[in-house]
Amino acid sequence: MINRRNIKRIYLITARKVKDFLLSDKSREFLIFLFFFLIASGFWLLQTLNNDYETEFSIPVRLKGVPNNVVITSEPSSELHIRVKDKGTVLLNYMLGKSFFPITLDFSDYKGNDDNHVRIYSSQFEKRLLSQLNVSTKLLSMKPDTLEYIYSTGASKLVPVKFQGTVSAGRQYYISDTICKPDSVLAYAPEGVLDTITAAYTQKVKFEDVSDTLKRQIPLLGRKGVKFVPASVEMIFPVDIYTEKTVEVPLRGVNFPAGKVLRAFPSKVNVTFQVGLSHFRQITESDFHINVSYEELLRLGSDKYTVKLKSVPKGVNQVRINPEQVDFLIEQVTPEYDN
């Protein structure tokens, strides 16, 4: 452990070495060289800054005085990018010391046309911009050269939200539902535009190999002159895991004339399918129907029938039937036997 005596000794040794270096001939030569180097660098910098240069600056844009009954559906650009030319000393002053005041647009000073679309050309605010620049500074360009915004005087309607994108589950999983919160949003726009809006679409997204319920806040797709409130929605994609189930389903004859019945061997087949675990108990044999029509059997010209399901419940896939074919005959029965 270092004690006070050791610290004092190390300090004295270090101070002596520094003093010896500063008093040496090499040290004096180095300090003289450094002095003249700094003077030369200063002259070079002044000479360089005296040349003309071009650079870009950003100036904020603000819109004020918007009435309570007006909704800005398409905001003006938040920044104005200007390109200027002047001596380096002036441009350095802009960079280090001078801050630009925002270009302020007063809503009451401008009036839109029939579609409430306001366009403010550069000639209308260029003087305010030049007043912030030195007389020697030359304004080369301005982007955008037109500030524009669109507003609505309170006209709105409720439109449904439509999801755009793809969501795929991982192996042995599936997306059991697509939930949107909220499922409708308010659309604000000038009346001529509002009539054309039938839905609000989300931005396109892609999610792959999802294995657990997914929740994402997704922005709505922007449209010029239209403002959606809210501007984003929460999309929920519940995920379920597949399991396999087998049920026994009978073959039923339909459209048979009186006195004739269907005899199938076997009379029931096993239907195996995949279903989500949450729906496992809900899906039963009564949800499947194998209806064999009399006309279909007459057209076969054979005593073997390929079993086909007439309906499959929602959420069921990968259906397999065993056996795939059954033997059959059309039996003539007496009315008493049929009853």
Side-chain angles (χ1 to χ4, degrees), residues 6-286:
N6 288 337
I7 294 175
K8 184 177 181 180
R9 184 171 62 84
I10 292 171
Y11 169 76
L12 292 174
I13 293 173
T14 303
R16 189 182 303 116
K17 287 183 178 180
V18 172
K19 182 179 178 182
D20 292 342
F21 173 74
L22 293 175
L23 295 176
S24 66
D25 293 337
K26 289 184 178 180
S27 172
R28 286 196 296 272
E29 292 175 359
F30 173 75
L31 292 175
I32 293 171
F33 167 77
L34 182 61
F35 174 73
F36 284 105
F37 174 78
L38 292 175
I39 291 177
S41 298
F43 280 116
W44 173 83
L45 180 61
L46 289 174
Q47 181 64 32
T48 301
L49 290 176
N50 203 40
N51 295 329
D52 286 343
Y53 296 95
E54 295 180 9
T55 189
E56 287 189 359
F57 295 104
S58 296
I59 300 178
V61 176
R62 302 286 184 265
L63 178 63
K64 70 173 187 177
V66 180
N68 292 332
N69 67 327
V70 170
V71 177
I72 304 299
T73 58
S74 181
E75 298 278 350
S77 176
S78 60
E79 286 185 332
L80 199 63
H81 299 279
I82 61 171
R83 187 167 188 82
V84 296
K85 182 178 181 179
D86 208 332
K87 294 188 181 300
T89 50
V90 177
L91 298 181
L92 187 63
N93 179 52
Y94 289 143
M95 294 177 184
L96 299 180
K98 185 177 177 60
S99 58
F100 293 100
F101 295 108
I103 298 295
T104 303
L105 309 176
D106 197 316
F107 184 87
S108 60
D109 292 341
Y110 305 97
K111 182 175 177 61
N113 49 25
D114 293 338
D115 59 356
N116 294 348
H117 193 166
V118 175
R119 294 178 179 86
I120 308 169
Y121 300 101
S122 58
S123 58
Q124 296 175 261
F125 55 83
E126 187 173 344
K127 288 183 179 179
R128 279 183 281 172
L129 177 58
L130 291 174
S131 66
Q132 300 190 56
L133 301 176
N134 283 12
V135 177
S136 60
T137 304
K138 184 178 181 181
L139 180 63
L140 300 178
S141 65
M142 188 187 313
K143 294 182 180 179
D145 60 0
T146 302
L147 295 175
E148 57 182 325
Y149 59 89
I150 302 173
Y151 64 92
S152 168
T153 53
S156 66
K157 70 177 181 181
L158 198 65
V159 294
V161 176
K162 302 291 186 182
F163 172 70
Q164 290 191 124
T166 57
V167 183
S168 59
R171 190 174 181 181
Q172 294 300 315
Y173 294 91
Y174 75 102
I175 307 298
S176 62
D177 201 356
T178 300
I179 303 170
C180 179
K181 293 184 178 180
D183 60 0
S184 300
V185 295
L186 274 175
Y188 290 88
E191 291 186 6
V193 178
L194 194 63
D195 294 339
T196 66
I197 302 171
T198 57
Y201 295 90
T202 67
Q203 294 185 4
K204 289 186 178 181
V205 294
K206 185 176 182 180
F207 303 111
E208 296 179 324
D209 296 326
V210 179
S211 59
D212 197 3
T213 296
L214 183 68
K215 293 183 179 181
R216 287 291 185 273
Q217 196 74 20
I218 302 178
L220 297 177
L221 194 64
R223 180 174 170 180
K224 188 173 182 179
V226 180
K227 182 176 183 179
F228 295 110
V229 180
S232 63
V233 294
E234 183 183 42
M235 297 299 304
I236 304 173
F237 306 96
V239 175
D240 202 356
I241 188 170
Y242 277 121
T243 187
E244 195 168 82
K245 184 174 183 177
T246 300
V247 294
E248 201 173 45
V249 181
L251 280 73
R252 303 185 185 278
V254 294
N255 298 330
F256 274 68
K260 293 186 178 183
V261 294
L262 171 68
R263 301 297 184 197
F265 309 96
S267 61
K268 295 181 179 181
V269 295
N270 290 324
V271 177
T272 303
F273 54 91
Q274 287 188 342
V275 64
L277 189 61
S278 60
H279 299 290
F280 185 84
R281 294 183 180 276
Q282 299 173 11
I283 304 298
T284 64
E285 61 275 3
S286 61

